Amino acid sequence: LSHLSPSSRPPTLQWIGSIDGHLQILDQRKLPTITELVTIQNTEELWNAIKTLAVRGAPAIGVAAAYGMVLAARTVPPSSQSNILIDVLETTADYLKSARPTAVNLAWAVDRMLSVAIAQRAVGVRQLQQRLLQEAQSIQAQDTAMCLAIGRHGAPFIKPNARILTHCNAGALATSDHGTALATLYEAQRQGIPFQVYADETRPLLQGARLTAWELAASNIDVTLICDNMAGMVMREKQISLVIVGADRIAANGDTANKIGTYSVALLARAHNIPFLVAAPTSTFDLTLKDGSQIPIEERPGSEITNSPGPSNECLAPPGIKTYNPAFDITPASLITAIVTDQGVISPVTEPAIRALIHPPAKQNP
Ligand code: MRU
């Protein structure tokens, strides 16, 4: 097992070099046993990395896709007309969006890249390529800043000796750095507040076991791993005082898509009278959707359920058995005590309160 301190953990993703460089990602399929960096040189490699969860978590796939637009842009010869580059970017945007449908951050980031290219087309292809790289880097820097702001707004919820339950991984590995739900824990730790964390393993792909447990332990946070089906018993027996999770898309009324199992945890939290918090950056809100029923839910192969995760990949179920494997579920706003964002805290979670705080992304200036 790799024991990495936060300072020795490689960045989740990073652009290396100039416009001719490449995207480097930490391969999350192999954690925690192998720490491997993967080089991404073109959009097909990136699509596969997103699809197979080598890079995952809503904000991180948004940042990765922004760099994907750079990889596409640089295939256009500098002597071409700008509209050739715009065409390539439009096709790439649709292609990258098709890798994973639920997290809106992916669409948000590629659309932002496209609008920069359209607004600045007059500067020519060579300059546009440079500007797109700068834009992707600024999306990444903003993501890091939003995570730190979420940490500051969320830390007051972590009372001394709190017992916190989390689901999936909404940490540094799911963002440019620091995380969303876990950013609140890192900030509370920085402030010297003592607390304990229970991490759901998060079947079928075990992001809780493989990633959250690893990331928190590496940061010297007191973390205990449990199976998903233990959450109710642990809430009662261990007196969980707070649940905090991330989000993949939040509709205008506050209904929230997050990793499958989040809805069950929210119901359990309500039954035990435990506050249930969602932490997410502005880029995770989709105010074009009225409610959660409009959020597309990714379905993944049944082999993720029938076969054991990890290198052995042994089949544990009867061959040919029917499966259903939605990767996300919707937690209704009525079960969410508060949404912690980079702009502040939304509580109670209502559409007017969301619209008062979250504004659609600003249009780029030409
Ligand atoms: O399928 P994944 O691992 O990409 O799912 C990730 C989650 O559901 C996270 O909770 C969410 O993206 C928030 S990450 C800050």
Side-chain angles (χ1 to χ4, degrees), residues 53 56-59 100 168-170 174-175 180 207 247-248 258-259 328:
L53 276 55
R56 36 77 41 211
R100 296 197 78 190
C168 195
N169 174 264
T175 59
T180 56
Q207 288 92 333
D248 286 83
N258 191 50
K259 179 52 56 193
F328 300 94

